């Protein structure tokens, strides 16, 4: 029973991730294939998502198109929910078992249960009623067509396969782009004589109220050395979401205490090593030790001492001889 439940949940999750947001998004089971998209309008006949500029208290109407591509009549559930960011940076939707608290709760679907004949398509109207106290900034969710089928292994678990279109809404008011870096950690990996690499991990949090695209720039500096990690693209962050990011800086010399600096910049503004625009509070530093092996330090000191003695012996004397 437990094994069947795990298999069912994995299948449902895979179906959702594969189908969220494409145009047109489509999915299939062994016997059913269907596609969804925003219903075409005169101004936007081929929308890739729902995009709205809204005001608190506004009410708007739109429609979601569902098309059954296979031939057997099939029943679907249509509903909206909130978007979430997975640990791997993928934009997903809340599971059906969780209640929407944001834009998903603003949406009312006119016909939440539909049955389509083979090859039929239908536009399902829906209404978005923005709360009067809605916070300014970006609100992201999705509207889906869900097909529930029993598990094939004889268990009582129901597999919920769903695909949908994203809803991007920006509520009027003051907006702010802001990222913060926390839990910054760096470790030196490699030899104690030849250059190694510094692995840096940190958590990026969107503390503003709009979606953010960013890049992470990592610089490692030490005695007579400076190295840069390849630019790391940070997946789009929703307001309030966090993501763990890792960078690797190569060709770092083991010259003692190294300084690691991480900066987050707007993706469009990143140009080489010195971007023109950075986010407020989007820089952090830490240190990591990368000392050579003790015998190498001792050998270096002996060589330097020997060189100093040779220089001292060769230096001409400044003492003036007495004349009788």
């Amino acid at each position: 029973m437990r094994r069947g439940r795990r298999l069912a949940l994995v299948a449902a999750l895979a179906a959702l991730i594969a189908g969220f947001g494409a145009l047109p998004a489509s999915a299939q089971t062994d016997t059913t294939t269907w596609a969804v998209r925003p219903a075409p309008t005169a101004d936007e006949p081929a929308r890739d998502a729902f995009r709205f500029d809204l005001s608190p208290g506004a009410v708007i109407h739109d429609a979601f198109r569902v098309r059954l591509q296979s031939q057997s009549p099939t029943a679907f559930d249509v509903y909206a929910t909130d978007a979430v960011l997975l640990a791997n940076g993928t934009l997903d939707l809340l599971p059906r078992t969780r209640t929407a608290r944001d834009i998903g709760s603003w949406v009312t679907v006119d016909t939440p249960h539909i049955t389509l004949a083979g090859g039929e398509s239908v536009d399902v109207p829906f209404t978005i009623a923005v709360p009067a106290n809605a916070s300014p900034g970006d609100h992201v969710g999705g509207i889906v067509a869900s097909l529930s089928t029993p598990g094939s292994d004889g268990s009582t678990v129901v597999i919920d396969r769903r695909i949908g279109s994203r809803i991007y809404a920006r509520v009027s008011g003051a907006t702010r782009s802001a990222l913060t870096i926390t839990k910054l950690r760096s470790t030196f990996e490699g030899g104690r004589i030849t250059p190694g690499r510094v692995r840096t991990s940190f958590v990026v949090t969107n503390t503003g109220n709009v979606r953010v695209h960013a890049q992470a720039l990592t610089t490692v500096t030490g005695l007579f050395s400076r190295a840069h990690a390849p630019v790391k693209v940070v997946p789009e962050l929703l307001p309030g979401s966090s993501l763990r990011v890792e960078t690797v800086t190569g060709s770092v010399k083991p010259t003692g205490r190294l300084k690691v600096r991480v900066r987050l910049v707007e993706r469009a503004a990143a140009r080489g090593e010195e971007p023109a625009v950075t986010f407020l509070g989007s820089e952090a530093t830490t240190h990591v030790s990368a000392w050579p092996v003790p015998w190498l330090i001792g050998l270096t000191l002996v060589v330097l001492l020997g060189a100093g003695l040779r220089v001292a012996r060769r230096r001409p004397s400044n003492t003036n001889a007495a004349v009788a």
Side-chain angles (χ1 to χ4, degrees):
M1 176 66 179
R2 291 181 179 177
R3 180 174 179 273
R5 180 177 290 106
R6 286 197 298 269
L7 292 174
L9 292 176
V10 169
L13 179 60
L16 170 59
I17 293 175
F20 180 42
L23 175 63
S26 63
Q28 65 180 31
T29 66
D30 294 339
T31 58
T32 307
T33 304
W34 71 105
V36 302
R37 60 176 294 181
T41 66
D43 295 332
E44 296 181 278
R47 292 184 287 175
D48 63 342
F50 295 101
R51 304 176 191 276
F52 305 110
D53 290 319
L54 305 172
S55 299
V59 176
I60 63 170
H61 305 278
D62 212 311
F64 177 61
R65 176 167 293 183
V66 183
R67 180 165 63 93
L68 180 60
Q69 297 169 323
S70 50
Q71 295 304 309
S72 299
T74 305
F76 297 95
D77 295 329
V78 180
Y79 60 93
T81 191
D82 299 335
V84 293
L85 191 70
L86 301 181
N88 63 2
T90 302
L91 190 63
D92 202 347
L93 290 177
L94 285 177
R96 191 169 185 176
T97 54
R98 291 181 57 185
T99 302
R101 304 293 185 185
D102 196 58
I103 191 170
S105 66
W106 305 352
V107 178
T108 301
V109 177
D110 286 15
T111 311
H113 309 288
I114 59 174
T115 299
L116 300 182
E120 182 183 7
S121 65
V122 64
D123 290 347
V124 181
F126 65 89
T127 301
I128 298 181
V130 185
N133 62 348
S135 60
D138 289 339
H139 300 262
V140 184
I143 184 167
V144 303
S146 168
L147 174 62
S148 298
T149 57
S152 59
D153 59 352
S155 70
T156 59
V157 174
V158 174
I159 301 175
D160 183 23
R161 295 183 174 92
R162 53 184 187 165
I163 54 173
S165 295
R166 297 179 185 182
I167 301 175
Y168 296 105
R170 174 163 292 187
V171 176
S172 59
T175 59
R176 185 172 66 96
S177 296
L179 298 177
T180 58
I181 300 172
T182 57
K183 300 181 180 179
L184 178 61
R185 302 287 186 275
S186 291
T187 56
F188 180 78
E189 302 173 348
R192 293 300 186 179
I193 301 176
T194 58
R197 61 183 185 178
V198 172
R199 186 179 302 275
T200 302
S201 67
F202 49 96
V203 173
V204 182
T205 302
N206 184 348
T207 53
N209 61 0
V210 295
R211 295 180 290 131
V212 176
H213 294 79
Q215 290 179 334
L217 307 181
T218 304
T219 304
V220 179
T221 54
L223 185 63
F224 311 123
S225 65
R226 182 181 178 90
H228 303 276
V231 174
K232 181 76 172 186
V233 175
V234 180
E236 179 183 83
L237 295 176
L238 304 178
S241 64
S242 297
L243 187 68
R244 179 169 291 279
V245 179
E246 183 177 89
T247 63
V248 177
T249 309
S251 301
V252 178
K253 298 176 183 178
T255 55
R257 193 167 186 257
L258 305 174
K259 178 180 179 181
V260 182
R261 182 174 73 156
V262 176
R263 286 183 297 163
L264 297 175
V265 301
E266 289 178 311
R267 187 182 301 181
R271 296 290 185 270
E273 299 173 3
E274 298 296 334
V277 177
T278 59
F279 289 112
L280 179 64
S282 62
E283 179 176 318
T285 60
T286 188
H287 294 84
V288 61
S289 295
W291 292 98
V293 292
W295 66 261
L296 181 59
I297 298 175
L299 178 61
T300 302
L301 292 176
V302 169
V303 171
L304 293 175
L305 180 61
L309 290 175
R310 286 195 298 272
V311 170
R313 288 172 181 172
R314 293 176 182 175
R315 182 177 300 167
S317 175
N318 293 327
T319 304
N320 296 322
V323 178

